[in-house]
Amino acid sequence: MDQTHIGYTYWQQPMRQALPGLQYVQVQERDLAGDLGVSVETSNATVPGDDMYHALSSNALTIPPVDPYGAISRWIDIFSVGTNAVEWNITSNASFVHFSQSFGSLTSNGTTDIRIWATVDFASAPAGNGIVMLNISSSRDYGTQFNMPQLMLSFRNTVLPSNYTNGYIESDGHISIEAEHYSSITPAATNAAKVSYTIIPGLSRTLSGLTLFPVTAPSLDLTTAPALTYNLYTFSPITSVPGHVLNITLVATTSLNTDPNRPLRYALQLDSQPVQTVKYIIDQPAGNLPIGWAGLRGSVASNAWYSNSNVTYTGPGEHVLKLWLLEPGMVVNSLWVNLGGVRPSYLGPPESPRV
């Protein structure tokens, strides 16, 4: 590859190949927090000790929740941070939590660092929600001012009604939908344009694109566009959703409003709430690029448009999400229904379980 490519700091190539700053672990001096470090899934924090990723002098970290329809296991990294060999042991205050390895040894050369998995046996776990405490003990002290690492693992032992079929299931506080996996399609009341939905494999960062054909079709409305229907089942209590407001993010492929008289549009409805019609590309005058096109988190860098809508959450149970594409140039990839569990990431949450 002839183009300079080592040392990117923004979208343009570096002017010369330049390695980023390198750091080495000091192996001649013991860490202030002792000889053992612990980190958990989705966190950059390390305990015991202080860093910018968790509360000052706290020895506790929170592990993402587990439930029967999503992740039932979460990883924990245990590694050497000191100069001494050390024996470690992990225990739980709940008999239904099991570990891939519950004890071991660490040496300072880094060859014995280990990732273990904590798994919840939901057949033995109590119904409902709870928190399990995990303790990781060391055969040596935790430095001069820190204590034994403690991890909080929350579980949600939810049960799906047996009569719920053909839809998505909430897991980890969200529902992530791949657009092509709709539950059903409601034909348009008037289909004079003879449009239909077509799957374009691979036209997505995750699975596929879904669009209207033919591409020469006119602009549509709720009476002339077929509706995509997604059945959803949620477990989150209404009190856990701030303001009873759900955020729904639609992810579409990068594009522009090539015809200013026909901006790309879609319509969205949850249950029987009012339909929201959304123009997700906001053009600017004088030929300037639309809002959100450029920048490190813009549409180009993300290879996607993100469009957000707010709806009212009425509580756990069955829900129906409807989506209408109103311009044939629009390609939708996925939708994220956030009940408080969507975390920042490039690709977004993986697809939720469905039946």
Side-chain angles (χ1 to χ4, degrees):
M1 183 175 180
D2 292 335
Q3 184 182 18
T4 54
H5 57 281
I6 301 175
Y8 270 93
T9 58
Y10 75 127
W11 70 270
Q12 185 59 285
Q13 79 277 346
M15 294 298 101
R16 65 172 64 190
Q17 309 279 28
L19 284 173
L22 301 177
Q23 298 184 28
Y24 296 88
V25 177
Q26 172 58 262
V27 296
Q28 300 300 318
E29 182 180 3
R30 192 179 190 225
D31 193 284
L32 290 177
D35 299 289
L36 173 146
V38 177
S39 62
V40 299
E41 191 170 342
T42 75
S43 174
N44 289 326
T46 297
V47 290
D50 287 328
D51 56 46
M52 62 185 293
Y53 303 107
H54 73 294
L56 186 64
S57 298
S58 168
N59 295 299
L61 294 179
T62 300
I63 303 175
V66 292
D67 62 68
Y69 303 103
I72 63 171
S73 300
R74 296 294 187 183
W75 58 256
I76 302 165
D77 283 346
I78 304 174
F79 47 91
S80 173
V81 296
T83 56
N84 300 305
V86 64
E87 305 289 327
W88 61 267
N89 186 70
I90 183 169
T91 58
S92 166
N93 65 350
S95 60
F96 54 85
V97 176
H98 307 289
F99 303 105
S100 58
Q101 183 172 329
S102 58
F103 61 89
S105 303
L106 297 177
T107 57
S108 60
N109 62 12
T111 61
T112 53
D113 296 349
I114 188 171
R115 171 167 293 180
I116 66 170
W117 294 83
T119 301
V120 171
D121 176 10
F122 282 101
S124 303
N129 302 340
I131 297 177
V132 174
M133 182 70 72
L134 312 181
N135 292 318
I136 302 177
S137 60
S138 168
S139 59
R140 301 185 68 92
D141 61 48
Y142 306 96
T144 58
Q145 54 185 318
F146 300 102
N147 297 309
M148 179 176 61
Q150 293 184 317
L151 311 177
M152 277 84 73
L153 173 63
S154 61
F155 66 92
R156 301 168 181 171
N157 197 359
T158 50
V159 178
L160 187 71
S162 59
N163 60 353
Y164 177 76
T165 58
N166 191 25
Y168 280 93
I169 308 166
E170 177 194 346
S171 176
D172 196 10
H174 66 267
I175 298 176
S176 180
I177 300 167
E178 289 291 351
E180 74 165 65
H181 292 155
Y182 48 82
S183 301
S184 63
I185 296 179
T186 303
T190 304
N191 195 12
K194 297 181 179 180
V195 294
S196 60
Y197 288 109
T198 298
I199 297 171
I200 307 176
L203 187 56
S204 169
R205 304 178 308 168
T206 52
L207 182 62
S208 66
L210 192 64
T211 191
L212 289 166
F213 266 64
V215 296
T216 54
S219 299
L220 305 174
D221 57 30
L222 297 183
T223 64
T224 56
L228 297 161
T229 298
Y230 300 91
N231 297 330
L232 315 175
Y233 197 95
T234 65
F235 299 105
S236 293
I238 194 169
T239 53
S240 69
V241 179
H244 306 168
V245 174
L246 290 183
N247 177 266
I248 300 177
T249 300
L250 180 142
V251 184
T253 59
T254 50
S255 52
L256 292 170
N257 292 327
T258 55
D259 184 344
N261 297 314
R262 296 181 61 179
L264 297 181
R265 299 173 300 126
Y266 68 90
L268 191 77
Q269 182 187 39
L270 181 67
D271 299 332
S272 60
Q273 297 177 38
V275 176
Q276 301 182 36
T277 300
V278 181
K279 300 176 184 178
Y280 62 96
I281 303 176
I282 310 301
D283 288 326
Q284 298 298 289
N288 291 317
L289 293 172
I291 294 174
W293 178 258
L296 290 176
R297 299 186 182 277
S299 176
V300 174
S302 299
N303 195 26
W305 280 111
Y306 301 111
S307 179
N308 292 288
S309 302
N310 290 329
V311 297
T312 301
Y313 183 52
T314 56
E318 293 189 46
H319 301 276
V320 176
L321 179 65
K322 288 186 177 181
L323 174 68
W324 296 261
L325 304 190
L326 303 179
E327 287 290 343
M330 179 181 176
V331 182
V332 61
N333 302 138
S334 54
L335 301 102
W336 310 330
V337 181
N338 189 2
L339 294 107
V342 174
R343 303 177 187 89
S345 64
Y346 183 73
L347 295 177
E351 186 177 21
S352 296
R354 56 194 179 96
V355 293

